[in-house]
Amino acid sequence: MSGPGDPPEGTPDSGPGSGGSEEEYRSVVFDESFVKAARLQEFSAQERIGDHSPAVRRLPVLRRGLTRQAVILVVLIVIAFGTAVYMGVRSPYRTTPAVRNTEPLRMTVIPLAPTGRVPGSDSVHELYEHSPAARFKYAARAIDLPADPKATAHFSDSQVVTALTTAKDYLVDSSLDPDVLTRGAVRPVRMLIDPQQLPQFDQSVNRPVTDGRHAATGWLVRFDPSQAALADSRIRVRGALHVAETDADTLEVTSDHTFVYALRPVDKGDKKAADGDGKPKASLFTVRRSMHFRFDRQDLRNHQTELLVSYVQAGPLACSSDAAGYLHPLLAGQSAKQGGPAGTDPYATDSATALCGALAPDAQPHV
């Protein structure tokens, strides 16, 4: 007969009093870690009284760090990167950057002395029209780049154009900029020079000497500002640029240009140089510059150049004139006390060899 608390059918096997049930759940241990890991948590009695909320709440999932797949991926990336670095260091095909060897600029400045008085005129146009510069172009437009420059074996056409353009910019800033010509400015030119040559450039400008290395006039054209001023900013120019590859890392540009300047005295100066109204007459001054530029790949990136050779013929100048710091031109009506050993024409294509030459009469305007 069943007990008073037992159902008529007896205790079911799945009931709480079932021996089989105890055996089934005996292995489950609800320790503290198990409880804390549960994603469902029952509200307390106080919480259920104060708020009609569900009996349980869902806890946020705690992220316990990277998954195994993520850890494996990170390890593989580190191994691959380390292998690449190791192979790059050990590779027999690794190229060593070439050591840059910048040479000092070699320069020659040759004064050209007139054989008589320097011709002058009230009209700059008349001076030019009666001189060999009559058909010259003027200003920066006269310095033309070669037509359709081509790529070389190791340099692209854009790199060749960059070398030519930088050489042209140097010629414009050092030969045509009025601030450089008559106001003593040097910064526009300095910015285009390879940094390894800047000490030589700075010494040439600050302490010029005639030693073939440190004449300011070997780097740029500038007139004594206390003596001469530009009578016309449209400087006449004629010449050419040529580019060639010398090795796998170097381009070289050569230039040969004749610049013709119209100058007036800063004050009235010699009365023989003035007209009837006392206005100073203008005269022409000619500078022929043969330059040799070198470019490595860093120079091309920086829009800078290394100067190798500067060969200058300038006149009318007195042979006794110190042309290291400034050019001291002989102006209209003036003459040189001494002439040179032979007539030298800066408009001709041959090169002068004397340290002082005589300015050929045909190189002067006939007015």
Side-chain angles (χ1 to χ4, degrees):
M1 187 173 177
S2 301
D6 294 333
E9 300 83 1
T11 302
D13 293 339
S14 61
S18 169
S21 176
E22 292 178 0
E23 293 294 333
E24 181 178 357
Y25 292 100
R26 185 170 296 168
S27 62
V28 179
V29 179
F30 297 96
D31 57 7
E32 185 179 357
S33 62
F34 180 86
V35 173
K36 289 183 177 180
R39 298 186 60 187
L40 294 178
Q41 188 179 50
E42 184 179 5
F43 286 97
S44 67
Q46 185 65 34
E47 289 175 326
R48 291 199 298 272
I49 291 173
D51 187 9
H52 298 287
S53 60
V56 296
R57 56 188 169 194
R58 184 178 297 274
L59 297 177
V61 179
L62 296 177
R63 299 189 180 274
R64 297 179 177 271
L66 297 174
T67 64
R68 178 180 298 178
Q69 292 86 345
V71 172
I72 294 174
L73 180 60
V74 170
V75 171
L76 290 176
I77 292 175
V78 171
I79 293 174
F81 180 77
T83 302
V85 172
Y86 177 79
M87 294 300 293
V89 172
R90 300 285 295 178
S91 174
Y93 302 103
R94 182 169 54 96
T95 58
T96 302
V99 177
R100 301 182 69 214
N101 182 22
T102 303
E103 302 177 9
L105 170 62
R106 305 186 307 274
M107 59 186 69
T108 303
V109 180
I110 301 176
L112 302 179
T115 55
R117 294 189 180 278
V118 177
S121 175
D122 300 333
S123 171
V124 172
H125 177 74
E126 181 183 9
L127 286 172
Y128 278 129
E129 286 301 312
H130 292 85
S131 76
R135 300 295 175 261
F136 285 15
K137 298 178 182 179
Y138 59 85
R141 72 179 67 181
I143 304 177
D144 297 322
L145 301 185
D148 192 23
K150 301 294 184 180
T152 64
H154 298 93
F155 291 89
S156 66
D157 52 356
S158 64
Q159 290 174 312
V160 171
V161 171
T162 297
L164 289 166
T165 302
T166 305
K168 175 179 177 176
D169 290 344
Y170 187 93
L171 292 172
V172 170
D173 289 346
S174 65
S175 308
L176 301 177
D177 186 342
D179 288 337
V180 173
L181 294 173
T182 59
R183 302 185 187 109
V186 298
R187 187 172 183 272
V189 180
R190 192 179 190 276
M191 292 178 62
L192 295 172
I193 297 174
D194 186 296
Q196 295 190 32
Q197 285 191 318
L198 290 180
Q200 183 188 6
F201 176 82
D202 292 339
Q203 182 177 346
S204 301
V205 171
N206 298 324
R207 300 183 300 277
V209 292
T210 309
D211 62 355
R213 289 289 188 274
H214 300 98
T217 50
W219 298 90
L220 46 84
V221 177
R222 63 176 183 173
F223 302 103
D224 185 345
S226 65
Q227 183 179 2
L230 289 175
D232 188 354
S233 61
R234 296 178 299 176
I235 300 161
R236 303 299 175 96
V237 187
R238 185 177 69 181
L241 291 167
H242 302 280
V243 62
E245 177 184 312
T246 55
D247 56 50
D249 297 309
T250 309
L251 283 174
E252 291 190 359
V253 174
T254 56
S255 68
D256 189 356
H257 289 80
T258 299
F259 301 86
V260 186
Y261 306 87
L263 303 177
R264 292 186 191 274
V266 170
D267 53 18
K268 292 183 179 180
D270 190 348
K271 293 182 179 180
K272 295 180 180 178
D275 59 17
D277 297 330
K279 180 181 178 181
K281 293 184 178 182
S283 59
L284 296 186
F285 190 90
T286 303
V287 178
R288 181 177 173 187
R289 304 184 76 193
S290 298
M291 310 288 293
H292 193 165
F293 305 90
R294 182 162 67 187
F295 300 86
D296 59 21
R297 297 183 187 277
Q298 183 173 332
D299 289 328
L300 295 175
R301 288 192 298 268
N302 296 338
H303 192 65
Q304 294 174 328
T305 183
E306 174 188 347
L307 277 70
L308 298 181
V309 176
S310 172
Y311 192 90
V312 180
Q313 303 171 56
L317 284 173
C319 288
S320 59
S321 173
D322 181 5
Y326 291 96
L327 298 174
H328 304 277
L330 295 172
L331 301 173
Q334 296 179 337
S335 58
K337 296 180 180 179
Q338 296 179 358
T344 302
D345 186 352
Y347 295 94
T349 57
D350 57 337
S351 297
T353 56
L355 296 179
C356 183
L359 185 63
D362 290 341
Q364 296 271 50
H366 298 282
V367 293

